[in-house]
Amino acid sequence: MNILYNFGIYTYKQLVNIASFRNLKARKMKQGHKEIFHYLAQNADPEGGYIWIHASSLGEFEQGRPIIEAIKAHYPEQKIAITFFSPSGYEVRKNYSKADLICYLPFDLPNNVNRFLNILKPKQAIFIKYEFWGNYLNALAKRNIPTYIISAIFRPSQIFFRPYGGYLFFRKILQNFEHLYVQDENSKKLLKDIGITKVSVTGDTRFDRVLEIRSQAKELPLIEQFSKEKFTLIAGSSWPKDEEIFIDYFNRHPEMKLIIAPHEIHEEHIQFILSRLNRTTIRYTQADEKNIQKADCIIIDCFGLLSSIYRYGQVAYVGGGFGAGIHNVPEAAVYSIPVIFGPNHKKFKEAKELIIAGGGFSISKSEDFKLVMDRLLKNKEFLSKAGITAGQYIQNNSGASKKILKELYPEI
């Protein structure tokens, strides 16, 4: 099975190289991997002793961030190394001030693994949510380096629980963790059924992070001026399929305003959005106190504002649900506003629970969106109740970071 696993990783590496000729994300990844060991040679402390934290992408990094910052606050001299798998995480956080080293994770091949660990000499490793790299986890166990996973969530469909193929190999990988901190009781039960018992249910650290973000939200006077007189829908991390639905509704409802913070802000995407709008629209980077008064829609054509913008809306639409999966629902719900999203949310526990609670709404087509939005627009009591429910859900699920820190670092 090791041979097949290594062949799969090697094949993936080659596919990234091929894709890099046309795909910007793959090109950034390829370039980043070329620089890993040179970067480490120039910047790593030869003595090692790092706490190594690995996050696949930006979302996972945000889940781990409360833990990282608590460690650094209590142990300012402790060296922290952070690795990313995806360019979307690395590119945004490559200059994060709380880490001593930040780079891509070398592909999970034996030579890379040994070379990386020989340089880093970690004293502890923490993986976030979904990361199960076989060679790394095996090597960490052989070196007696305590390894943990936080905010993990497991589903019956994952390979660990399938009764065929190489499932035994992957189950053995899980045994390398010193302890697994999972989001829910169902994950704990699934693991117990396959003999993994070093498990604690601590919840999802992402709720702590969005509460932190809310407390640090930026004041945005232009957005406040724009949104204060009319019902405002905030559409965050949207993709074309999302935009087709909510823009069509917006065009036919002059009683509301719209702020769009698309997932991708390249010119081609901005032009696509503009082509569908038939009401007065302005780009945020071109807005001022005068022209914003005439606008019905703002397109946020810069990064870093969405988490603060949600506070100015009455309803949020979170994109991605017509593609690979919805983006950050708690980031919007923390402001006590109802959240709407597309159908691909089945892997997102928080989305499913928000729907059950009454603070989240899933749609599959324009007609669904119309039904939900009509009710939220016209029924103030329903709008208020859904918003309060969403905010309370976030509060009720906070505290995972403290639970994990209490076990890993009791002195904190």
Side-chain angles (χ1 to χ4, degrees):
M1 190 61 203
N2 275 343
I3 294 172
L4 290 174
Y5 177 83
N6 290 337
F7 178 74
I9 299 293
Y10 178 79
T11 301
Y12 182 79
K13 177 183 177 182
Q14 299 312 311
L15 290 173
V16 170
N17 291 337
I18 294 168
S20 67
F21 290 103
R22 292 193 174 190
N23 183 283
L24 178 60
K25 186 175 179 179
R27 189 154 57 248
K28 287 182 176 180
M29 191 174 186
K30 178 183 177 182
Q31 183 59 38
H33 275 264
K34 285 173 62 177
E35 298 169 356
I36 293 172
F37 289 110
H38 175 73
Y39 165 82
L40 291 173
Q42 296 292 316
N43 296 280
D45 185 338
E47 297 297 316
Y50 290 89
I51 292 178
W52 169 34
I53 297 170
H54 176 65
S56 175
S57 191
L58 185 60
E60 287 75 23
F61 168 80
E62 291 297 331
Q63 283 178 289
R65 190 166 172 172
I67 304 295
I68 297 167
E69 297 189 352
I71 294 170
K72 205 64 175 177
H74 198 80
Y75 306 111
E77 301 304 315
Q78 173 57 54
K79 291 168 285 189
I80 292 177
I82 296 175
T83 55
F84 290 98
F85 183 76
S86 167
S88 62
Y90 175 76
E91 291 296 329
V92 176
R93 295 300 178 206
K94 60 187 176 183
N95 296 314
Y96 176 59
S97 62
K98 303 296 183 182
D100 301 274
L101 295 174
I102 303 173
C103 63
Y104 282 94
L105 179 72
F107 284 107
D108 189 26
L109 295 167
N111 288 341
N112 283 345
V113 170
N114 288 323
R115 188 179 177 189
F116 178 79
L117 294 179
N118 287 341
I119 294 172
L120 211 61
K121 302 180 185 69
K123 68 178 187 181
Q124 186 183 69
I126 299 173
F127 290 70
I128 301 169
K129 194 174 182 178
Y130 283 140
E131 293 297 272
F132 307 103
W133 296 109
N135 288 317
Y136 278 106
L137 290 170
N138 289 337
L140 286 163
K142 286 178 181 177
R143 294 174 185 232
N144 296 314
I145 297 167
T147 302
Y148 306 90
I149 189 164
I150 65 170
S151 292
I153 188 163
F154 293 89
R155 301 181 303 278
S157 60
Q158 287 172 298
I159 195 168
F160 312 111
F161 314 108
R162 295 178 188 173
Y164 58 82
Y167 72 101
L168 289 175
F169 170 79
F170 289 97
R171 287 184 185 182
K172 189 175 180 181
I173 286 175
L174 294 179
Q175 294 171 0
N176 291 318
F177 287 109
E178 182 78 14
H179 206 86
L180 296 91
Y181 297 97
V182 300
Q183 292 187 25
D184 57 21
E185 290 289 346
N186 184 59
S187 295
K188 183 176 181 178
K189 182 182 183 304
L190 285 168
L191 291 167
K192 184 180 179 182
D193 289 344
I194 61 169
I196 307 295
T197 57
K198 295 181 290 185
V199 181
S200 297
V201 179
T202 49
D204 188 349
T205 54
R206 182 163 37 166
F207 294 106
D208 303 322
R209 178 59 188 151
V210 296
L211 285 165
E212 252 178 49
I213 291 171
R214 187 187 69 177
S215 71
Q216 300 163 5
K218 301 171 185 174
E219 296 286 343
L220 302 170
L222 287 177
I223 299 296
E224 183 176 10
Q225 180 184 337
F226 171 82
S227 61
K228 66 182 178 182
E229 293 180 0
K230 277 188 179 180
F231 181 106
T232 303
L233 171 68
I234 313 294
S237 302
S238 62
W239 293 82
K241 180 62 177 176
D242 303 302
E243 291 147 7
E244 289 174 3
I245 291 174
F246 64 71
I247 289 176
D248 179 61
Y249 185 90
F250 164 74
N251 283 338
R252 293 181 285 108
H253 287 80
E255 70 272 32
M256 66 178 286
K257 288 186 174 184
L258 174 64
I259 299 174
I260 307 173
H263 185 71
E264 296 182 340
I265 60 171
H266 55 74
E267 189 61 25
E268 184 180 353
H269 190 191
I270 300 293
Q271 289 301 322
F272 168 82
I273 294 170
L274 288 168
S275 72
R276 303 198 70 86
L277 289 158
N278 60 23
R279 294 175 63 188
T280 308
T281 302
I282 190 168
R283 299 185 189 206
Y284 183 74
T285 56
Q286 298 172 356
D288 58 38
E289 290 183 1
K290 290 184 179 179
N291 61 24
I292 207 166
Q293 294 177 13
K294 300 176 182 178
D296 298 310
C297 175
I298 299 176
I299 298 173
I300 307 300
D301 54 350
C302 54
F303 289 115
L305 298 181
L306 178 58
S307 61
S308 296
I309 288 173
Y310 280 126
R311 69 190 292 190
Y312 297 105
Q314 280 70 55
V315 176
Y317 179 97
V318 174
F322 289 94
I326 56 173
H327 293 286
N328 195 338
V329 168
E331 187 178 47
V334 73
Y335 290 104
S336 295
I337 58 175
V339 187
I340 304 171
F341 40 81
N344 194 355
H345 63 269
K346 303 300 187 294
K347 295 181 180 180
F348 298 85
K349 177 175 176 281
E350 68 277 9
K352 292 188 289 185
E353 291 181 346
L354 262 178
I355 292 170
I356 293 169
F361 305 90
S362 175
I363 63 156
S364 297
K365 53 186 183 295
S366 296
E367 290 79 2
D368 298 339
F369 183 77
K370 182 181 184 304
L371 286 171
V372 174
M373 278 299 298
D374 281 353
R375 193 173 179 192
L376 291 168
L377 260 173
K378 296 171 184 176
N379 188 332
K380 290 184 179 180
E381 183 178 347
F382 178 68
L383 172 68
S384 175
K385 185 177 179 181
I388 291 169
T389 299
Q392 194 61 54
Y393 171 77
I394 302 297
Q395 292 285 349
N396 292 345
N397 284 277
S398 63
S401 302
K402 288 183 179 180
K403 293 175 185 175
I404 294 168
L405 286 164
K406 188 177 180 180
E407 290 203 23
L408 289 181
Y409 313 101
E411 58 276 25
I412 296 181

